[in-house]
């Protein structure tokens, strides 16, 4: 690794990519606010137990991926690996009246110590939403439809909505036993992770990506068929809601997702433009309780990887074109012209004229400064030489048409407004 490279799995973000990120956030605000969601910003680190308790002690995220450290007071803190737990902590802190709902969206960096690959970063960014306080399946349908709406607004076509249910906690034990009975005889053929999961997290074996495990999982009992009436009815209503809203989805009976807080609905959206890490977004209904707090909050939400949204857009040829670094370049010839150029640049910016304005303070030759103006993509150049200084005028060059005029400084505004 070269000495100044960012750490593996992290990156520096430059324009024009930054513009794509800003656009993504703008579209998210625009769409989510139409559904009554407001923005929430929570800290990037939390007490470790906020995550461990809800994501689940046996999940890959908690077992292998969290950036956990002790602060100077000996507290265990963790850089947030996802947004939901912190958002729930914030909602619990603010309090929710009986029957009250909170609908929030958020953006920001998340941290997981995963092996970096295309679309898999150690610092990545999510745009997510959480709707807390409604236990209605119709809410799940609306939430998924909102995500589909958001993707359509971003021009991301060709994605698949995969849907499943984990049912209610009271169904869990019987299902876990049935899965254990099924997987146990295959234990020798399973990957190392799944051998461990046999005793810790047997559900997760259903969607293990290892080819041998996947083959075995194909024959596992369908969890939906082992669920009670209440879970199955809830799921049927989510499906009915999606149909009502015209959302196309596919049932994914072995998708259980990697976090333990889910109950009922789970879903993922995949996109073919992403390659191996094809999950654009994931979410579901959850129940979360915070350490030291007896209340349980139920909600539905999702998060989409912002890097992956941009990769999907790129695969469809939708990224922003490279932008110019400068629109108006002020060439100052000779030392006395430099402060005049400095002032002129300031006046243009104050007046909102000339877009990105840059004054050259280098005192180089005309040729050298014009070369810089070209390199930066400037569409207009203002030239201040000795003669112009003495007459309070400026040479104005339109770089697109190569037209050049000398104007009194007072007439610059019209020149900018004309072309
Ligand atoms: P998740 O499936 O772990 O869910 O992450 C959601 C999305 O974040 C993924 O679909 C993917 O696009 C992106 N993502 C995850 N890990 C990485 C990574 N290492 N590099 C790049 N992108 C990544 C959650 O985080 C839940 N909190 C979602 C949720 C909200 N469920 C309910 N509410």
């Amino acid at each position: 690794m070269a000495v100044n490279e960012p750490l593996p799995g992290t990156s520096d973000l430059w324009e024009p990519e930054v513009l794509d990120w800003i656009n993504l956030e703008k579209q998210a605000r625009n769409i989510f606010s139409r559904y009554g969601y407001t923005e929430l910003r929570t800290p990037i680190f939390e007490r470790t137990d906020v995550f461990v308790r809800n994501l689940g002690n046996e999940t890959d995220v908690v077992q292998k991926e969290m950036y956990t450290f002790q602060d100077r007071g000996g507290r265990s803190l963790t850089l947030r690996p996802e947004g939901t737990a912190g958002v729930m902590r914030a909602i619990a802190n603010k309090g929710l009246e009986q029957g009250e709902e909170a609908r929030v969206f958020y953006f920001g960096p998340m941290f997981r110590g995963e092996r970096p690959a295309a679309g898999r970063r150690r610092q990545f960014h999510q745009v997510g939403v959480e709707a807390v306080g409604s236990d209605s399946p119709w809410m799940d349908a609306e939430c998924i439809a909102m995500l589909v709406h958001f993707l359509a607004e971003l021009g991301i076509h060709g994605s698949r909505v995969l849907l499943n249910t984990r049912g209610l906690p009271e169904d869990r034990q019987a299902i876990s036993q049935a899965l254990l009975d099924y997987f146990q005889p295959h234990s020798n053929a399973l990957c190392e992770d799944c051998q461990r999961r046999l005793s810790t997290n047997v559900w997760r074996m259903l969607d293990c990506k290892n080819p041998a495990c996947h083959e075995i999982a194909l024959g596992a009992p369908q969890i939906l068929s082992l669920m009670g009436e209440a879970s199955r009815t809830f799921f049927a209503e989510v499906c009915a809601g999606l149909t009502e809203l015209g959302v196309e989805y596919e049932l994914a009976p072995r998708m259980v997702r990697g976090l333990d807080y889910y109950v009922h609905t789970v879903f993922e959206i995949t996109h073919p433009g992403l390659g191996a890490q094809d999950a654009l977004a994931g979410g579901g209904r959850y129940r979360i309780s915070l350490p030291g707090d007896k209340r349980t909050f139920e909600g539905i939400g999702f998060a989409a990887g912002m890097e992956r949204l941009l990769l999907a857009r790129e695969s469809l040829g939708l990224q922003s074109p490279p932008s110019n670094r400068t629109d108006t370049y002020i060439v100052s010839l000779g030392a006395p012209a430099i402060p005049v150029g400095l002032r002129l640049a300031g006046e243009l910016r104050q007046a909102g004229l000339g877009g990105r304005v840059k004054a050259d303070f280098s005192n180089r030759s005309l040729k050298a400064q014009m070369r810089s103006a070209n390199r930066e993509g400037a569409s207009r150049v203002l030239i201040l030489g000795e003669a112009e200084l003495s007459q309070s005028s400026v040479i104005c060059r339109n770089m697109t048409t190569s037209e050049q005029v000398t104007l009194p400084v007072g007439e610059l505004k019209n020149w900018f407004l004309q072309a």
Side-chain angles (χ1 to χ4, degrees), residues 61 81-85 106 112 114 119-126 128-130 257 259 261-262 268-269 279-286 300-308:
V61 175
E82 57 98 59
T84 312
Y106 52 90
R112 296 185 192 175
E114 296 193 79
R120 191 168 61 207
R121 320 288 301 154
R122 290 184 173 164
Q123 175 176 331
F124 60 101
H125 298 73
Q126 285 186 341
V129 312
E130 312 296 345
R257 305 226 346 105
L259 306 166
Y261 49 50
Y262 291 115
E268 270 182 15
I269 296 204
L280 205 49
R285 176 165 285 277
Y286 49 82
I300 168 86
F302 62 77
M306 292 176 71
E307 286 81 357
R308 295 191 191 176

